[in-house]
Amino acid sequence: MQKVTPRSEDYARWYTDVIQMADLATYAPVRGCMVIKPYGYALWENLQRSLDRRFKETGHENAYFPLFIPESFIKKEAEHVEGFSPELAVVTVGGGEVLEEPLIVRPTSETIIGHMFAQWINSYRDLPLLINQWANVVRWEKRPRLFLRTTEFLWQEGHTAHATSEEAEAETIQILGIYREFAEEQAAIPVTPGKKSESEKFAGALHSYTIEAMMGDKRALQSATSHNLGQNFAKAFEIKYLDTSNQQQYCHTTSWGMSTRMVGAIIMVHGDDMGLKMPPRLAPVQVVIVPIYKTDEERAAVMAMANETHETLRNAGFRVKMDNRDGLTPGFKFNDWEMRGVPIRVEIGPKDVQNRQVVLARRDQPGKEGKLFMGVDGLAENVSSLLESIHQSLFNSALAFQKANTREVETYDAFKEAVQSGFALAWWAGSREDEAAVKEETKATIRCIPFDQPGGSGKCVYTGKEAKEVALFARAY
RNA sequence: CGGGGCGUAGCGCAGUUUGGCUAGCGCGCCGGCUUUGGGUGCCGGAGGUCCCCGGUUCGAAUCCGGGCGCCCCGACCA
């Protein structure tokens, strides 16, 4: 097995190396598409389970809508069609015959779900309608990258309808809170929640909200979005209800999503030159056991204790893997599991059998410093607190990195320097055109207007006009 | 869509300039021995439409023409 390209040498290659060497995914024989391998899919499933639980706890229900959307549906909302038409995959032939109306392979499902909502909603009593679907979508991207932007990707898309503008806004914000909580508490990724600028918002939305995270190369990644669609789609699809005074009213709708892109975030936020670091709460394998022996005699004793340990930890509810592969040296296995990012490795050798102890090695502290001896008694408790501590340490170092590379800037010169490598926080009162000019000159865009504002006012970093809000700028994926 | 690179074993590549013997190497894979507390070593073996089509030639991975595909950088996009 060879080593990954160091991050400092070529970050993009490091990223694709890690994905393939850690066995998360591989290129498919179709341009821009990937095969998610079992280890990568297991991570996605853990992520899915965790998010799904949160959606259900807040009253949402899962459903499933068709992969194909009639072309005319896409065209009903003006901004929506303009935003998405360049990246649509279109089916024109079915069963050997040219279709009367082409079918779009869904790039997102606002339109077809809007069409169904119009039929399902009649009365204020039908509201709110809170639906989520887990699905694949297709966007014909010009420049695909594994997990970050693949032609086909997996995601969840929530779609809700409400009686009032206030309720729709509250839903949009609530969901963003769920995404933030998920990112921080499950994936150990600190994020900046905020509002999208006019030019960055979703095609057809009133407002878009986002959580932005800083990757290991100091670029930003939009990790999830939540949109208040206002009445735009309700009007396009006639989603109406009768209010208590028997008046027809348009609904206020929302949509929100998190995708397999999140896997890319996990790789780029935590990974190092030895490979992945899986956040413990989502890790497909939380603990790997590596038995070490020379003779058959040793093997019998070591395996007995290794199996006992395996069972103890499994019964305690951990995701445990026994690496009893023959013919591979311990050193090889250590490196292999470090590449895969398993948070805790348990080493058991003849010496440990004698002393009724094991060696625990933590992935976030490489080498000897991360190793500690631990008695077999009470192992499960110790593993539990160690996993917690690893989660915290991953989160803390990601947060420290983000803070160290985020600068508050007042002049445009300082701004330009800051966004070369990192985030810049700056007062902003510019127009859409100003934003485009900044992008042209620096490649940086407004990632969001953070919820967390200093208050008061300041001087816009670009126009010099009086500004009431601070924007977060960065180069983004 | 613009620029660059590449297509030869599962993966990474050499060979192509200057056509010629049975198409090689490393990793991985299979078998055996050896080794095992930080990427063991040795021996043997399996594995190929040299991207595709056409042409030139006694002879093409190699030369000529056409096509296809993928990757990277940029523009676009969320």
Short mmCIF file of all heavy atoms in Angstrom, two decimals, chain A residues 149-197:
data_model
loop_
_atom_site.label_atom_id
_atom_site.label_comp_id
_atom_site.label_asym_id
_atom_site.label_seq_id
_atom_site.Cartn_x
_atom_site.Cartn_y
_atom_site.Cartn_z
N ARG A 149 -19.26 17.24 -5.51
CA ARG A 149 -20.12 17.65 -6.62
C ARG A 149 -20.14 16.56 -7.66
O ARG A 149 -19.44 16.63 -8.65
CB ARG A 149 -19.60 18.96 -7.23
CG ARG A 149 -20.63 19.67 -8.07
CD ARG A 149 -20.10 20.93 -8.71
NE ARG A 149 -19.73 21.95 -7.75
CZ ARG A 149 -18.49 22.24 -7.39
NH1 ARG A 149 -17.48 21.60 -7.93
NH2 ARG A 149 -18.25 23.18 -6.51
N THR A 150 -20.92 15.53 -7.44
CA THR A 150 -21.00 14.43 -8.40
C THR A 150 -22.26 14.60 -9.24
O THR A 150 -23.21 15.26 -8.83
CB THR A 150 -21.03 13.07 -7.69
OG1 THR A 150 -21.93 13.13 -6.58
CG2 THR A 150 -19.65 12.71 -7.19
N THR A 151 -22.24 14.04 -10.42
CA THR A 151 -23.37 14.18 -11.33
C THR A 151 -24.65 13.63 -10.68
O THR A 151 -25.69 14.26 -10.72
CB THR A 151 -23.06 13.45 -12.66
OG1 THR A 151 -21.87 14.02 -13.20
CG2 THR A 151 -24.20 13.63 -13.65
N GLU A 152 -24.52 12.45 -10.10
CA GLU A 152 -25.63 11.92 -9.30
C GLU A 152 -25.19 11.95 -7.85
O GLU A 152 -24.05 11.60 -7.55
CB GLU A 152 -25.94 10.48 -9.71
CG GLU A 152 -27.05 9.86 -8.88
CD GLU A 152 -27.24 8.35 -9.12
OE1 GLU A 152 -26.42 7.77 -9.83
OE2 GLU A 152 -28.20 7.79 -8.59
N PHE A 153 -26.06 12.39 -6.97
CA PHE A 153 -25.72 12.30 -5.55
C PHE A 153 -26.92 11.94 -4.70
O PHE A 153 -28.06 11.97 -5.16
CB PHE A 153 -25.02 13.58 -5.05
CG PHE A 153 -25.80 14.86 -5.20
CD1 PHE A 153 -26.57 15.36 -4.14
CD2 PHE A 153 -25.76 15.58 -6.37
CE1 PHE A 153 -27.27 16.56 -4.27
CE2 PHE A 153 -26.47 16.77 -6.51
CZ PHE A 153 -27.22 17.27 -5.47
N LEU A 154 -26.62 11.54 -3.47
CA LEU A 154 -27.68 11.15 -2.54
C LEU A 154 -27.91 12.30 -1.57
O LEU A 154 -26.98 12.99 -1.19
CB LEU A 154 -27.26 9.91 -1.75
CG LEU A 154 -26.83 8.70 -2.57
CD1 LEU A 154 -26.50 7.53 -1.65
CD2 LEU A 154 -27.92 8.30 -3.55
N TRP A 155 -29.16 12.47 -1.19
CA TRP A 155 -29.45 13.50 -0.20
C TRP A 155 -30.80 13.24 0.44
O TRP A 155 -31.49 12.27 0.13
CB TRP A 155 -29.40 14.89 -0.83
CG TRP A 155 -30.56 15.31 -1.71
CD1 TRP A 155 -31.56 14.50 -2.22
CD2 TRP A 155 -30.85 16.63 -2.16
NE1 TRP A 155 -32.42 15.24 -2.99
CE2 TRP A 155 -32.02 16.55 -2.96
CE3 TRP A 155 -30.26 17.87 -1.97
CZ2 TRP A 155 -32.59 17.68 -3.58
CZ3 TRP A 155 -30.83 18.97 -2.57
CH2 TRP A 155 -31.97 18.88 -3.36
N GLN A 156 -31.15 14.12 1.37
CA GLN A 156 -32.52 14.20 1.83
C GLN A 156 -32.99 15.58 1.43
O GLN A 156 -32.22 16.54 1.45
CB GLN A 156 -32.65 13.96 3.32
CG GLN A 156 -31.88 14.86 4.27
CD GLN A 156 -32.33 16.30 4.37
OE1 GLN A 156 -31.52 17.18 4.55
NE2 GLN A 156 -33.64 16.52 4.23
N GLU A 157 -34.25 15.66 1.01
CA GLU A 157 -34.82 16.96 0.72
C GLU A 157 -36.14 17.06 1.47
O GLU A 157 -37.03 16.24 1.31
CB GLU A 157 -35.00 17.20 -0.78
CG GLU A 157 -35.68 16.08 -1.55
CD GLU A 157 -35.84 16.42 -3.05
OE1 GLU A 157 -36.11 17.58 -3.38
OE2 GLU A 157 -35.70 15.49 -3.87
N GLY A 158 -36.22 18.07 2.32
CA GLY A 158 -37.44 18.30 3.08
C GLY A 158 -38.28 19.32 2.34
O GLY A 158 -37.76 20.25 1.73
N HIS A 159 -39.59 19.12 2.35
CA HIS A 159 -40.51 20.06 1.69
C HIS A 159 -41.70 20.25 2.61
O HIS A 159 -42.35 19.27 2.98
CB HIS A 159 -40.96 19.50 0.34
CG HIS A 159 -39.83 19.36 -0.64
ND1 HIS A 159 -39.45 20.35 -1.51
CD2 HIS A 159 -38.96 18.33 -0.84
CE1 HIS A 159 -38.40 19.93 -2.22
NE2 HIS A 159 -38.09 18.72 -1.84
N THR A 160 -41.95 21.49 2.97
CA THR A 160 -43.05 21.72 3.89
C THR A 160 -43.94 22.87 3.39
O THR A 160 -43.49 23.71 2.62
CB THR A 160 -42.54 22.10 5.30
OG1 THR A 160 -41.91 23.39 5.26
CG2 THR A 160 -41.56 21.07 5.83
N ALA A 161 -45.19 22.84 3.83
CA ALA A 161 -46.13 23.90 3.47
C ALA A 161 -46.78 24.42 4.74
O ALA A 161 -47.11 23.63 5.65
CB ALA A 161 -47.19 23.36 2.51
N HIS A 162 -46.95 25.74 4.81
CA HIS A 162 -47.46 26.38 6.03
C HIS A 162 -48.52 27.43 5.69
O HIS A 162 -48.56 27.93 4.56
CB HIS A 162 -46.30 27.05 6.78
CG HIS A 162 -45.16 26.12 7.05
ND1 HIS A 162 -45.00 25.45 8.23
CD2 HIS A 162 -44.14 25.72 6.25
CE1 HIS A 162 -43.92 24.68 8.16
NE2 HIS A 162 -43.38 24.83 6.96
N ALA A 163 -49.28 27.76 6.71
CA ALA A 163 -50.36 28.75 6.51
C ALA A 163 -49.81 30.16 6.47
O ALA A 163 -50.29 31.00 5.72
CB ALA A 163 -51.39 28.62 7.62
N THR A 164 -48.80 30.44 7.26
CA THR A 164 -48.32 31.82 7.33
C THR A 164 -46.84 31.93 7.01
O THR A 164 -46.08 30.96 7.11
CB THR A 164 -48.51 32.41 8.75
OG1 THR A 164 -47.63 31.71 9.64
CG2 THR A 164 -49.95 32.25 9.22
N SER A 165 -46.47 33.12 6.66
CA SER A 165 -45.09 33.46 6.37
C SER A 165 -44.20 33.21 7.60
O SER A 165 -43.09 32.70 7.49
CB SER A 165 -45.05 34.92 5.95
OG SER A 165 -43.74 35.38 5.94
N GLU A 166 -44.75 33.58 8.78
CA GLU A 166 -43.98 33.42 10.02
C GLU A 166 -43.67 31.95 10.28
O GLU A 166 -42.57 31.60 10.69
CB GLU A 166 -44.75 34.00 11.21
CG GLU A 166 -44.90 35.50 11.22
CD GLU A 166 -45.90 36.01 10.17
OE1 GLU A 166 -46.81 35.24 9.78
OE2 GLU A 166 -45.75 37.16 9.71
N GLU A 167 -44.67 31.10 10.05
CA GLU A 167 -44.46 29.67 10.29
C GLU A 167 -43.42 29.08 9.33
O GLU A 167 -42.61 28.25 9.72
CB GLU A 167 -45.77 28.89 10.14
CG GLU A 167 -46.70 29.04 11.32
CD GLU A 167 -48.04 28.35 11.07
OE1 GLU A 167 -48.05 27.20 10.60
OE2 GLU A 167 -49.08 29.00 11.30
N ALA A 168 -43.49 29.52 8.09
CA ALA A 168 -42.52 29.01 7.10
C ALA A 168 -41.10 29.45 7.49
O ALA A 168 -40.16 28.66 7.41
CB ALA A 168 -42.87 29.52 5.71
N GLU A 169 -40.99 30.71 7.90
CA GLU A 169 -39.68 31.21 8.31
C GLU A 169 -39.17 30.44 9.54
O GLU A 169 -38.00 30.06 9.60
CB GLU A 169 -39.77 32.71 8.60
CG GLU A 169 -38.46 33.37 9.00
CD GLU A 169 -37.42 33.44 7.87
OE1 GLU A 169 -37.77 33.15 6.69
OE2 GLU A 169 -36.26 33.77 8.17
N ALA A 170 -40.07 30.18 10.49
CA ALA A 170 -39.68 29.45 11.70
C ALA A 170 -39.21 28.05 11.35
O ALA A 170 -38.21 27.55 11.90
CB ALA A 170 -40.85 29.40 12.68
N GLU A 171 -39.90 27.41 10.41
CA GLU A 171 -39.51 26.07 9.98
C GLU A 171 -38.11 26.10 9.34
O GLU A 171 -37.25 25.27 9.63
CB GLU A 171 -40.53 25.52 8.96
CG GLU A 171 -40.08 24.30 8.17
CD GLU A 171 -40.20 22.99 8.95
OE1 GLU A 171 -40.72 23.03 10.09
OE2 GLU A 171 -39.76 21.94 8.42
N THR A 172 -37.89 27.06 8.47
CA THR A 172 -36.62 27.18 7.78
C THR A 172 -35.47 27.32 8.77
O THR A 172 -34.42 26.68 8.65
CB THR A 172 -36.63 28.42 6.85
OG1 THR A 172 -37.85 28.42 6.10
CG2 THR A 172 -35.47 28.38 5.88
N ILE A 173 -35.71 28.16 9.78
CA ILE A 173 -34.68 28.40 10.81
C ILE A 173 -34.50 27.18 11.71
O ILE A 173 -33.38 26.81 12.07
CB ILE A 173 -35.07 29.63 11.66
CG1 ILE A 173 -35.12 30.89 10.77
CG2 ILE A 173 -34.10 29.83 12.81
CD1 ILE A 173 -33.80 31.34 10.22
N GLN A 174 -35.61 26.54 12.03
CA GLN A 174 -35.53 25.34 12.88
C GLN A 174 -34.67 24.26 12.22
O GLN A 174 -33.82 23.64 12.85
CB GLN A 174 -36.94 24.77 13.13
CG GLN A 174 -36.90 23.48 13.95
CD GLN A 174 -38.23 22.73 13.95
OE1 GLN A 174 -39.02 22.84 13.02
NE2 GLN A 174 -38.48 21.98 15.00
N ILE A 175 -34.89 24.07 10.92
CA ILE A 175 -34.14 23.04 10.21
C ILE A 175 -32.66 23.40 10.15
O ILE A 175 -31.79 22.54 10.32
CB ILE A 175 -34.71 22.84 8.78
CG1 ILE A 175 -36.13 22.25 8.85
CG2 ILE A 175 -33.78 21.96 7.96
CD1 ILE A 175 -36.22 20.87 9.46
N LEU A 176 -32.38 24.67 9.92
CA LEU A 176 -30.97 25.06 9.90
C LEU A 176 -30.32 24.74 11.24
O LEU A 176 -29.17 24.31 11.30
CB LEU A 176 -30.80 26.54 9.57
CG LEU A 176 -29.37 26.86 9.12
CD1 LEU A 176 -29.12 26.37 7.71
CD2 LEU A 176 -29.03 28.32 9.28
N GLY A 177 -31.09 24.92 12.31
CA GLY A 177 -30.60 24.57 13.64
C GLY A 177 -30.30 23.09 13.76
O GLY A 177 -29.31 22.68 14.38
N ILE A 178 -31.15 22.27 13.15
CA ILE A 178 -30.91 20.82 13.17
C ILE A 178 -29.62 20.49 12.41
O ILE A 178 -28.81 19.69 12.87
CB ILE A 178 -32.11 20.07 12.55
CG1 ILE A 178 -33.31 20.12 13.51
CG2 ILE A 178 -31.74 18.63 12.22
CD1 ILE A 178 -34.57 19.46 12.98
N TYR A 179 -29.44 21.13 11.28
CA TYR A 179 -28.22 20.89 10.51
C TYR A 179 -26.98 21.29 11.31
O TYR A 179 -25.97 20.60 11.32
CB TYR A 179 -28.25 21.66 9.19
CG TYR A 179 -29.20 21.11 8.16
CD1 TYR A 179 -29.89 21.95 7.29
CD2 TYR A 179 -29.41 19.73 8.03
CE1 TYR A 179 -30.75 21.45 6.33
CE2 TYR A 179 -30.28 19.23 7.08
CZ TYR A 179 -30.95 20.08 6.23
OH TYR A 179 -31.80 19.58 5.29
N ARG A 180 -27.11 22.44 11.95
CA ARG A 180 -25.97 22.91 12.73
C ARG A 180 -25.65 21.95 13.86
O ARG A 180 -24.49 21.58 14.07
CB ARG A 180 -26.30 24.29 13.32
CG ARG A 180 -25.16 24.83 14.11
CD ARG A 180 -25.53 25.94 15.03
NE ARG A 180 -24.30 26.37 15.72
CZ ARG A 180 -24.12 27.55 16.24
NH1 ARG A 180 -25.07 28.46 16.17
NH2 ARG A 180 -22.99 27.84 16.84
N GLU A 181 -26.69 21.53 14.56
CA GLU A 181 -26.50 20.60 15.67
C GLU A 181 -25.90 19.29 15.16
O GLU A 181 -24.97 18.74 15.76
CB GLU A 181 -27.86 20.33 16.34
CG GLU A 181 -27.78 19.34 17.48
CD GLU A 181 -29.18 18.91 17.94
OE1 GLU A 181 -29.98 19.79 18.31
OE2 GLU A 181 -29.47 17.70 17.89
N PHE A 182 -26.41 18.82 14.04
CA PHE A 182 -25.89 17.58 13.48
C PHE A 182 -24.41 17.73 13.14
O PHE A 182 -23.58 16.89 13.48
CB PHE A 182 -26.67 17.17 12.23
CG PHE A 182 -26.02 16.04 11.50
CD1 PHE A 182 -26.23 14.74 11.92
CD2 PHE A 182 -25.18 16.27 10.43
CE1 PHE A 182 -25.59 13.67 11.28
CE2 PHE A 182 -24.53 15.22 9.79
CZ PHE A 182 -24.74 13.93 10.22
N ALA A 183 -24.07 18.81 12.42
CA ALA A 183 -22.68 19.01 11.98
C ALA A 183 -21.75 19.05 13.19
O ALA A 183 -20.69 18.42 13.20
CB ALA A 183 -22.56 20.29 11.17
N GLU A 184 -22.16 19.79 14.21
CA GLU A 184 -21.26 19.99 15.34
C GLU A 184 -21.25 18.79 16.29
O GLU A 184 -20.18 18.36 16.71
CB GLU A 184 -21.65 21.27 16.08
CG GLU A 184 -21.61 22.47 15.13
CD GLU A 184 -21.55 23.82 15.80
OE1 GLU A 184 -22.00 23.95 16.96
OE2 GLU A 184 -21.04 24.76 15.17
N GLU A 185 -22.41 18.26 16.58
CA GLU A 185 -22.46 17.20 17.59
C GLU A 185 -22.23 15.80 17.04
O GLU A 185 -21.85 14.91 17.79
CB GLU A 185 -23.80 17.27 18.34
CG GLU A 185 -23.90 18.54 19.17
CD GLU A 185 -25.19 18.62 19.95
OE1 GLU A 185 -25.90 17.60 20.05
OE2 GLU A 185 -25.50 19.73 20.44
N GLN A 186 -22.49 15.60 15.77
CA GLN A 186 -22.26 14.27 15.21
C GLN A 186 -20.97 14.22 14.38
O GLN A 186 -20.17 13.33 14.53
CB GLN A 186 -23.44 13.85 14.33
CG GLN A 186 -24.76 13.75 15.10
CD GLN A 186 -24.74 12.63 16.12
OE1 GLN A 186 -24.40 11.50 15.81
NE2 GLN A 186 -25.09 12.94 17.36
N ALA A 187 -20.82 15.19 13.49
CA ALA A 187 -19.66 15.17 12.59
C ALA A 187 -18.46 15.92 13.17
O ALA A 187 -17.39 15.90 12.58
CB ALA A 187 -20.06 15.75 11.24
N ALA A 188 -18.65 16.55 14.31
CA ALA A 188 -17.58 17.33 14.96
C ALA A 188 -17.05 18.44 14.06
O ALA A 188 -15.85 18.73 14.05
CB ALA A 188 -16.45 16.40 15.43
N ILE A 189 -17.95 19.01 13.26
CA ILE A 189 -17.56 20.09 12.35
C ILE A 189 -18.20 21.40 12.80
O ILE A 189 -19.42 21.54 12.78
CB ILE A 189 -18.01 19.76 10.91
CG1 ILE A 189 -17.26 18.54 10.40
CG2 ILE A 189 -17.78 20.96 9.99
CD1 ILE A 189 -17.69 18.08 9.02
N PRO A 190 -17.38 22.37 13.21
CA PRO A 190 -17.93 23.67 13.58
C PRO A 190 -18.40 24.40 12.34
O PRO A 190 -17.71 24.40 11.32
CB PRO A 190 -16.74 24.40 14.22
CG PRO A 190 -15.54 23.72 13.69
CD PRO A 190 -15.91 22.33 13.35
N VAL A 191 -19.57 25.01 12.40
CA VAL A 191 -20.11 25.68 11.22
C VAL A 191 -20.58 27.09 11.56
O VAL A 191 -20.86 27.40 12.72
CB VAL A 191 -21.29 24.90 10.61
CG1 VAL A 191 -20.83 23.57 10.06
CG2 VAL A 191 -22.42 24.71 11.62
N THR A 192 -20.66 27.92 10.54
CA THR A 192 -21.19 29.26 10.68
C THR A 192 -22.57 29.29 10.02
O THR A 192 -22.66 29.18 8.80
CB THR A 192 -20.28 30.28 9.99
OG1 THR A 192 -18.96 30.14 10.52
CG2 THR A 192 -20.79 31.70 10.23
N PRO A 193 -23.63 29.40 10.81
CA PRO A 193 -24.95 29.49 10.23
C PRO A 193 -25.25 30.94 9.83
O PRO A 193 -24.81 31.87 10.49
CB PRO A 193 -25.89 29.05 11.35
CG PRO A 193 -25.12 29.23 12.61
CD PRO A 193 -23.66 29.37 12.29
N GLY A 194 -25.96 31.10 8.74
CA GLY A 194 -26.29 32.45 8.31
C GLY A 194 -27.18 32.44 7.09
O GLY A 194 -27.65 31.40 6.64
N LYS A 195 -27.37 33.66 6.56
CA LYS A 195 -28.28 33.85 5.44
C LYS A 195 -27.46 34.00 4.16
O LYS A 195 -26.41 34.63 4.17
CB LYS A 195 -29.08 35.12 5.70
CG LYS A 195 -30.22 35.39 4.77
CD LYS A 195 -30.95 36.63 5.28
CE LYS A 195 -32.02 37.08 4.30
NZ LYS A 195 -32.72 38.28 4.79
N LYS A 196 -27.96 33.45 3.07
CA LYS A 196 -27.31 33.61 1.78
C LYS A 196 -27.58 35.00 1.21
O LYS A 196 -28.65 35.56 1.42
CB LYS A 196 -27.83 32.56 0.79
CG LYS A 196 -27.20 31.19 0.96
CD LYS A 196 -25.79 31.19 0.45
CE LYS A 196 -25.07 29.88 0.70
NZ LYS A 196 -23.61 30.03 0.52
N SER A 197 -26.62 35.52 0.46
CA SER A 197 -26.84 36.79 -0.21
C SER A 197 -27.82 36.57 -1.38
O SER A 197 -28.07 35.43 -1.77
CB SER A 197 -25.52 37.33 -0.75
OG SER A 197 -25.08 36.52 -1.82
#
